Amino acid sequence: MNEISVEVANICNSVLEEIINYLQESQDMNTKVIELKSAETLREKLDLTLSETGISLAELLPLIKSYLQYSVKTSSPRFLNLLFSGFSVPGILGEMVASASNTTMHTYDVAPVATLIELELIQNLNKLIGFPSGEGLMVTGGSNANLIGMFCARHKFVPEVKYNGLENNQLIAFVSDQAHYSYLKATNLLGIGSKNLIQVKSDRNGCLIPSELESEIIQALHNGKTPFFVGATAGTTVLGAFDNLPSIAQVTQKYGLWLHVDGAWGAPVLFSEKHRNLLAGSELADSFTWDAHKLMGVPLICSAILVKDKGILSQACSGVGTDYLFHDDENSSYNLGEMSLQCGRKVDALKFWLCWKYYGNKGYQARVEQLFEMAKYAVDLLHSQKNLELIIEPKFLNICFRYIPQNSHISAEIINQINLDIRNELIRSGQVFINYASYKDQILIRLILANPEIKKADLDTLFENILIQGKKSEKKYV
Ligand SMILES: *Cc1c(COP(=O)(O)O)cnc(C)c1O
C-alpha cells in the first residue's frame, strides 16, 4: 500500500529542490551542456541493475541525482542541437499534475477536465490555422501527426481499404525532397509503400517547386497510379524552408488531392503578425501537424493533428470491438478516444494549456519575434566573417552555415571533414551542443534558435569558438 506520509512529502521536496538546482545550473555558462561518455563508461557510473528486493523512497534520491547529472542539459541556451531547447515551468508543473492525477484520454467520464482542455486547445490551434469548423487530437509526436494526416487522406480516397486492405490500389503521395523522414514511415505503415512516396524537387531555398509537383502528378496518372496526398512543409527540419501553400493548393485542388501541412517546426509563426505570412494559405490545407514541444517550449511530447472537416478522424480511426469502452450517454460526443489510434492516451493537454495560459498569444508572439531577431543577428555575424559561409539566406530560425578554410587549395572533402571536426570538438568540450547535416554533398553546421533565453553574447561566443576550432582543424590538413 502506498501511504501518503512524511516520507512522501520529504522525497517530493528533495526532488523538487534537485529539479530547481538542475535548471539553475543548466543556465550557468560554466556548466557543460553535455558530458560525452561512452555507453560503457556511463553504464559503470550508473546503478542500473534491477533486483529482487526493492529500495526505499529516500534511496531513489541519489538515482534521480545521477540521472540529472549525466543527462544532456537541453534547457541550456547552449543546447542548439535540435528543434527544442530551454524549459518551461508551467509545462513541468503540468507534467507533474498530469502524472499525479493519472488518467487516460479515451472517454469523457475518466478525463472530464482534460477532455474539455484538449478541445479548447484544438479549437484555438484550428483558429490560428484557419479551420473554423475543424477537429483534431493530441498525438504522440509530429511524426505520428503526419502519419494520421496521411491516414485520413487514405480513408477519404479509398474508405473500403479499411476492410479490404489496399488490394490493387496504387496510391501515390508527394512531398518535397526536404520533407521529414516520417513520411517514409507513414507510407510503409499505411501499406502504400515507400517507393510510392514521390520526393519532389525543391528549389535553392529548399521549397517544393509547385510545377515539379504537377509534373510528378501527371506522370503518376499517366502510369495508371492514384495520386491522393501532398505533404507540404512549413519549416523544414534542416533549412527551415516554408513551402508556398497557395501555389501548392492550386495544384492539389486541380487534381482533387488531399493537402497536408507539416508545421511541426514552423506552425507557431502563426502567433506573429510580423511573420505569419510564411504560412499564408494554411487555411487551404485539409490537415495540419503542430508540435508544441518545439518552438512553443512545452515539454516533450506535445503534438496535435488538426483536420479541416469534422468527422474524418473518427471515421478513419474507428474500429470494431469497442462497445465495452464507448457507451452512449449524454457526454458520448466528448469521447475523444473514438478519434484516436491509441486506446490509452496520456494527458498532454494540461501542460500545453498551462503554458498557453501563462504566456498568452502575446507571449508566444513575443517569443517567436525575439527568436527571429536573434536569427537576424546570427546572419549578420555570419555575413561579417569571411571564414564562415551561409548555405542559404535563412527565412526562419535554422541557420545553416559552414567554415571555409583560409587556404583555398583545400578540397571539398576536407572542408566537409573540417566542419565535422568543428562540430565534434564543440560537443567534446561540452561548450555547446550543435548539430550538423549533409545538404547537396556539403556538411553544414545547423544552428537552431529555439530557446528564447539565447542572448547575443551567446551567439558571439559560439561563432568565436567555431572560428578557433576551424583554424585548429584546418592546420591538421595542410
Ligand atoms: C520534428 C519534425 C517532425 C517530427 O516531429 P516529432 O514530434 O519529433 O515526431 C516532423 N516534421 C518536421 C518538419 C519536423 O521538424
Side-chain angles (χ1 to χ4, degrees), residues 24-53:
Q24 196 114 45
E25 212 183 289
S26 334
Q27 306 309 299
D28 182 345
M29 282 303 280
N30 299 318
T31 305
K32 287 188 173 182
V33 58
I34 173 174
E35 276 198 53
L36 211 53
K37 290 203 168 25
S38 72
E40 218 164 291
T41 315
L42 195 53
R43 197 179 280 130
E44 277 167 20
K45 292 201 177 283
L46 301 171
D47 171 17
L48 295 171
T49 52
L50 297 168
S51 343
E52 290 298 319
T53 49

Side-chain angles (χ1 to χ4, degrees), residues 83 140-144 146 180 182 233-237 262 264-265 289 291 293-294 301 303:
L83 305 180
T140 53
S143 301
N144 287 358
N146 285 345
H180 193 258
S182 51
T233 308
T236 58
T237 313
D262 177 0
W265 170 222
T289 290
D291 271 4
H293 62 234
K294 288 181 174 171
I301 289 287
S303 306

Side-chain angles (χ1 to χ4, degrees), residues 390-436:
L390 276 165
I391 301 295
I392 61 160
E393 283 297 322
K395 302 277 185 302
F396 194 36
L397 309 172
N398 310 42
I399 320 290
C400 295
F401 63 97
R402 41 198 241 131
Y403 178 86
I404 299 292
Q406 281 153 334
N407 181 337
S408 55
H409 299 297
I410 289 180
S411 70
E413 205 181 317
I414 301 282
I415 297 179
N416 279 347
Q417 191 53 50
I418 291 173
N419 279 279
L420 206 54
D421 284 353
I422 295 173
R423 187 262 179 178
N424 291 342
E425 189 51 36
L426 289 175
I427 292 185
R428 206 197 50 75
S429 73
Q431 296 164 2
V432 247
F433 197 167
I434 195 164
N435 213 344
Y436 75 96

Side-chain angles (χ1 to χ4, degrees), residues 34 40 92 94 98 114 177 180 187 219 244 247 292 308 331 359 377 383 428 430 459 468:
I34 173 174
E40 218 164 291
I92 295 169
D177 56 14
H180 193 258
T187 49
Q219 185 64 43
N244 184 323
S247 308
K308 183 189 263 162
N331 294 314
Y359 292 107
Y377 183 76
H383 280 308
R428 206 197 50 75
L459 293 176
I468 293 170

